[in-house]
Amino acid sequence: MNINLLLENLTNPALLFFLLGIIATRLKSDLEIPPNSSKFISLYLLFSIGFKGGQELAHSHFNFEIIWSVLFGIFIAIIIPFYCFFILKKKFSIDNSGAIAAAYGSVSAVTFVTAVTFLEAHNQTISGYMVAIMALMEAPAIIIGVILMRMYSTRETVSTKLSSVIKHSFTNGSVLLILGSLVIGYLASDEQAMGIKPFTTDLFKGFLAIFLLDMGIISGKKLNIFFKSGWFPLAFAIVIPLVNGMIVAFMSQFITDEIGNRFIFSILAASASYIAVPAAMKIVAPKANPGLFLPMALAITFPFNITFGMPIYYSIILYT
């Protein structure tokens, strides 16, 4: 890995604000972002990235690379929760194994947004259709997790119909907003898009920094609960995303030559959902412990990816 790349990433203001949030909670500071403001900022980030993706998609030409990229993204979202479940099943209950597997097979929209800013800092771009692929990768992992829980559970803990799970996955607020913004961005003309550019582009990095500050505060509050779970969740939350990201960083060269697209594939494979999956598991598997899979995804995997993961995956892509 390029050490200069890592050091440069560690001085990224967005990352430093995330670390500030963690430090604030450890110091028992009363610093906090009001819930309504935090929700607005998260909606803004999803709207902005979806809209800009739609604009990029409008200038793209449909080809077989797009088809292969979509299939590759869905394949990743299916295979990761499948193999993760059998690793987790040796240590956790069926409910917790399915929930954690679904979280690590699904994707983190915030990690995606952070990865886009990382690429922009290195003068790299992504294709508009990568936004759609990110949104499409939410549902398959949740479905696989539910199916595995049903197959291996000796109790009727997973009673929700599969059709309800699929519907919930695609009507989840974050998924619906980013897909809707993608379509709107695609339909808008260049002149119309320029009219809201100060909002969709110029304010983006500032809002991201405040949002990551909030994520740091939330993560810091969950660390105490997480560390009581032993060494295995910690090891899993670091090693599995790292392995997934590195493998996909290498494999993606057979799907596309675009550095930005390859990087996004790797970060999506390495990320874990802490928004869509917890919401789905609350309905599907209420006995799964959110105090386990939520801190794993948010307090360990997310900061690991934005601190060390992204420079590692990017370096692999540059040299393959």
Side-chain angles (χ1 to χ4, degrees):
M1 184 184 68
N2 190 321
I3 298 299
N4 291 330
L5 189 62
L6 174 60
L7 293 175
E8 182 183 339
N9 190 52
L10 290 175
T11 58
N12 185 312
L15 172 61
L16 294 176
F17 272 106
F18 178 84
L19 296 176
L20 175 61
I22 293 178
I23 292 169
T25 58
R26 307 319 292 175
L27 295 176
K28 302 188 184 303
S29 168
D30 61 355
L31 175 65
E32 66 176 358
I33 306 297
N36 287 339
S37 299
S38 177
K39 186 174 182 180
F40 166 75
I41 294 171
S42 64
L43 292 174
Y44 163 78
L45 293 174
L46 293 171
F47 151 74
S48 179
I49 201 72
F51 186 85
K52 287 188 289 186
Q55 281 284 290
E56 292 293 328
L57 188 60
H59 296 95
S60 302
H61 297 289
F62 188 80
N63 53 41
F64 281 108
E65 183 177 309
I66 295 177
I67 297 174
W68 283 115
S69 294
V70 171
L71 294 175
F72 184 59
I74 294 173
F75 171 77
I76 293 170
I78 291 174
I79 198 67
I80 289 177
F82 189 81
Y83 91 82
C84 284
F85 177 81
F86 292 101
I87 295 174
L88 292 159
K89 191 163 68 75
K90 297 177 180 180
K91 293 286 185 179
F92 300 121
S93 68
I94 297 299
D95 293 349
N96 284 330
S97 298
I100 297 170
Y104 279 85
S106 188
V107 297
S108 163
V110 178
T111 309
F112 176 90
V113 172
T114 310
V116 171
T117 62
F118 177 91
L119 287 172
E120 288 176 350
H122 293 87
N123 299 314
Q124 300 287 350
T125 59
I126 65 169
S127 300
Y129 61 80
M130 292 303 298
V131 180
I133 291 174
M134 186 272 288
L136 290 172
M137 288 174 67
E138 288 268 22
I142 297 174
I143 294 168
I144 294 297
V146 172
I147 290 173
L148 289 170
M149 280 190 281
R150 282 183 174 177
M151 288 175 61
Y152 286 89
S153 180
T154 56
R155 298 169 286 116
E156 288 297 322
T157 55
V158 187
S159 57
T160 308
K161 291 182 179 179
L162 197 59
S163 59
S164 299
V165 177
I166 298 171
K167 181 181 178 182
H168 185 272
S169 299
F170 282 104
T171 58
N172 175 274
S174 60
V175 176
L176 189 62
L177 177 60
I178 201 161
L179 283 176
S181 300
L182 180 78
V183 172
I184 293 170
Y186 180 80
L187 295 175
S189 67
D190 291 343
E191 185 178 350
Q192 291 169 329
M194 283 296 294
I196 59 172
K197 185 179 179 181
F199 184 69
T200 58
T201 303
D202 297 346
L203 299 176
F204 185 85
K205 290 184 178 179
F207 273 120
L208 177 62
I210 298 298
F211 184 75
L212 288 179
L213 171 65
D214 187 42
M215 289 290 99
I217 294 170
I218 295 171
S219 298
K221 290 177 180 178
K222 295 183 181 297
L223 284 174
N224 287 338
I225 301 172
F226 176 77
F227 286 135
K228 295 177 182 178
S229 304
W231 65 269
F232 183 78
L234 175 63
F236 184 94
I238 293 174
V239 174
I240 293 299
L242 179 62
V243 171
N244 291 340
M246 291 173 67
I247 291 174
V248 172
F250 177 79
M251 289 179 57
S252 59
Q253 66 182 303
F254 303 111
I255 303 299
T256 177
D257 294 327
E258 297 292 330
I259 291 175
N261 293 353
R262 290 182 61 191
F263 179 75
I264 291 298
F265 272 128
S266 64
I267 202 67
L268 290 177
S271 69
S273 171
Y274 48 82
I275 298 175
V277 169
M281 290 303 131
K282 186 181 293 185
I283 299 170
V284 178
K287 292 190 177 182
N289 181 13
L292 186 61
F293 61 82
L294 193 55
M296 286 175 69
L298 178 58
I300 305 299
T301 300
F302 175 67
F304 174 80
N305 273 327
I306 64 174
T307 307
F308 301 105
M310 290 196 293
I312 292 172
Y313 313 141
Y314 191 70
S315 296
I316 292 173
I317 291 166
L318 290 180
Y319 293 106
T320 56

